[in-house]
Amino acid sequence: MIVEKAKKFGQDLGVAESECNYSDGWLRNFKFRHGIRRLDVTGETLSANQNSAEKYKDEFEKIMADNDLTPEQIYNVDETGLLWRC
């Protein structure tokens, strides 16, 4: 998709396709220059138990209703937020 857009911009700017070679190396260098990279999801996201999370969601909504809590009264903290200065 990036190569096709680059070719289109080249045409719009009047750059002849023979002047610019949109090779795999060109694409690799373009992505490197602009910090474009593929990130794989790791860590807690992969280890999360989706079934337990769905069950707790219903339980949490009941706790909020029983205690008349609003979303503004809920504080989300995890080890990253809690230990951000460490």
Side-chain angles (χ1 to χ4, degrees):
M1 181 193 283
I2 293 173
V3 172
E4 290 178 23
K5 283 292 185 181
K7 287 180 182 179
K8 174 74 170 117
F9 288 139
Q11 288 173 355
D12 293 346
L13 294 171
V15 176
E17 197 165 329
S18 62
E19 292 179 37
C20 189
N21 182 13
Y22 302 102
S23 64
D24 290 338
W26 177 88
L27 179 60
R28 182 187 64 245
N29 292 334
F30 177 86
K31 292 191 307 187
F32 179 77
R33 275 192 307 272
H34 297 284
I36 300 170
R37 57 196 171 115
R38 179 180 175 173
L39 299 176
D40 293 328
V41 178
T42 60
E44 287 185 33
T45 304
L46 288 178
S47 65
N49 185 334
Q50 296 297 325
N51 293 332
S52 294
E54 286 299 321
K55 289 178 187 175
Y56 184 73
K57 181 181 166 188
D58 297 332
E59 184 180 332
F60 186 71
E61 287 176 356
K62 184 179 181 313
I63 292 170
M64 286 185 63
D66 291 348
N67 293 297
D68 197 31
L69 297 173
T70 64
E72 290 80 22
Q73 293 173 303
I74 305 302
Y75 180 73
N76 180 19
V77 66
D78 63 7
E79 63 272 8
T80 304
L82 187 60
L83 303 173
W84 68 276
R85 286 192 175 206
C86 294

